Amino acid sequence: MNIMDFNVKKLAADAGTFLSRAVQFTEEKLGQAEKTELDAHLENLLSKAECTKQWTEKIMKQTEVLLQPNPNARIEEFFYEKLDRKAPSRMNNPELLGQYMIDAGNEFGPGTAYGNALIKCGETQKQIGTADRELIQTSAINFLTPLRNFIEGDYKTITKERKLLQNKRLDLDAAKTRLKKAKVAEARAAQLNTSQPEENNIMIWAEEVTKSEQEVRITQSEFDRQAEITRLLLEGISSTHAHHLRCLNDFVEAQMTYYAQCYKYMLDLQKQLGSFPSTFLSNNNQSSSAPVQSVSTPSVLASASASLPSVSNSVVTSGISELKSSSGSRKARVLYDYDAANSSELSLLADEVITVYSIPGMDSDWLMGERGNQKGKVPITYLELLN
């Protein structure tokens, strides 16, 4: 029975507190009650925390979209994560494309030029798929997980303490309102002090004022203590920014590694495809005498870099055409490093100057290069002919 009485009293007290807070909040919104304002430093910390939370959520969600564009796959991964189970392993898009290419190449025949090229492209796509998996795994551990821990951990704690601070402020302002009303009532009773009953009424209101002043002191103390707790938590946002900066650096390094791997894979693939006879690389609707010019990845990068000399395509083409039509030689500056794929080629170093010339029957994308006693084929896309 005593326990039941205690629970009933506690329930009644909680209900009274809730009602008091609701009345105070409503009167503040209507402009009928005064509101204790937080100090400027605490307001700035609250604003900084809210801003951090909003942008962290946006960055985290968009990073997830970048790493996994398929929304259905993201939903599936979310449910498996909540169930604390490992998601089934499936091929990603590059791996799936690579498998299709390999299957098609085997179907057409590995001995054919097209079938062989498909197999080589498929193997490269699978390598890119593996690199993609490593990027997703590394980014999830080093970047997404810390951001999610802040949203689901630290910021939830801040939100809880902030809500407690709001409740303590409402309690304080409600106590101030009651004290103000008690003092007004006491003053009115003093003005009407003409009989014995009124003196008793003055004593009642004096006791109410004393009680309200004590309540204000208690609620003020609780509010100050909660404000200090909240302030200490909010000041930790600066440490959160520093931690997220380190995580961001890890994410950038993971992307650098991924793109460097992809570039290497595609460069190796281009060299392999460039070793095919030009008649196989030409368009089926064109004459075999008009081979398709291979695209060099460094040449694409060079056109996008302002630091490299800009050479008109028409000038380069005309210079090479003149060199091929003549039996002479020209000096050429090497634009990029080049590693020879076999003994018939010549390795190159960026910015060195070599002698180049053409020989009959040579592929249109290549010239013969000489450096001292060394000679071998060099790709024209790595050269800049000198006057």
Side-chain angles (χ1 to χ4, degrees), residues 56-57 59-61 63-64 67 74 77-78 81-82 139-156 243-244 247:
T56 300
E57 283 183 333
I59 292 172
M60 183 178 68
K61 289 179 181 178
T63 303
E64 291 174 345
L67 298 176
R74 290 200 304 274
E77 291 172 358
F78 173 79
E81 181 181 352
K82 291 302 179 183
S139 300
I141 295 174
N142 296 336
F143 187 60
L144 288 177
T145 298
L147 297 187
R148 187 175 292 108
N149 288 342
F150 168 72
I151 296 296
E152 298 179 356
D154 295 348
Y155 192 78
K156 279 190 175 181
H243 179 53
H244 287 181
C247 297

Side-chain angles (χ1 to χ4, degrees), residues 207-341:
E207 292 176 359
E208 184 66 25
V209 168
T210 302
K211 179 181 177 182
S212 297
E213 288 175 344
Q214 177 67 17
E215 184 180 6
V216 168
R217 285 192 293 270
I218 294 173
T219 53
Q220 182 71 59
S221 174
E222 292 178 350
F223 170 77
D224 292 340
R225 183 172 61 85
Q226 185 59 39
E228 181 65 16
I229 293 173
T230 306
R231 183 185 63 80
L232 291 174
L233 282 174
L234 292 172
E235 288 178 345
I237 292 294
S238 297
S239 299
T240 299
H241 284 189
H243 179 53
H244 287 181
L245 175 58
R246 293 192 294 271
C247 297
L248 181 61
N249 287 331
D250 292 339
F251 178 55
V252 171
E253 289 182 6
Q255 284 187 305
M256 287 175 58
T257 301
Y258 169 72
Y259 289 119
Q261 287 177 325
C262 292
Y263 173 78
K264 179 180 180 300
Y265 296 150
M266 297 309 296
L267 194 62
D268 292 342
L269 175 62
Q270 183 195 41
K271 291 179 181 178
Q272 295 179 51
L273 295 181
S275 65
F276 292 158
S278 60
T279 53
F280 290 133
L281 294 176
S282 63
N283 191 297
N284 291 334
N285 296 328
Q286 297 177 340
S287 170
S288 61
S289 63
V292 176
Q293 186 175 356
S294 65
V295 179
S296 173
T297 304
S299 66
V300 174
L301 294 177
S303 64
S305 174
S307 62
L308 295 177
S310 58
V311 181
S312 169
N313 288 336
S314 61
V315 174
V316 173
T317 304
S318 63
I320 293 175
S321 299
E322 292 176 4
L323 182 61
K324 286 184 174 290
S325 61
S326 66
S327 58
S329 61
R330 292 273 295 276
K331 293 292 185 180
R333 187 174 69 87
V334 178
L335 298 175
Y336 324 99
D337 292 345
Y338 177 76
D339 294 328

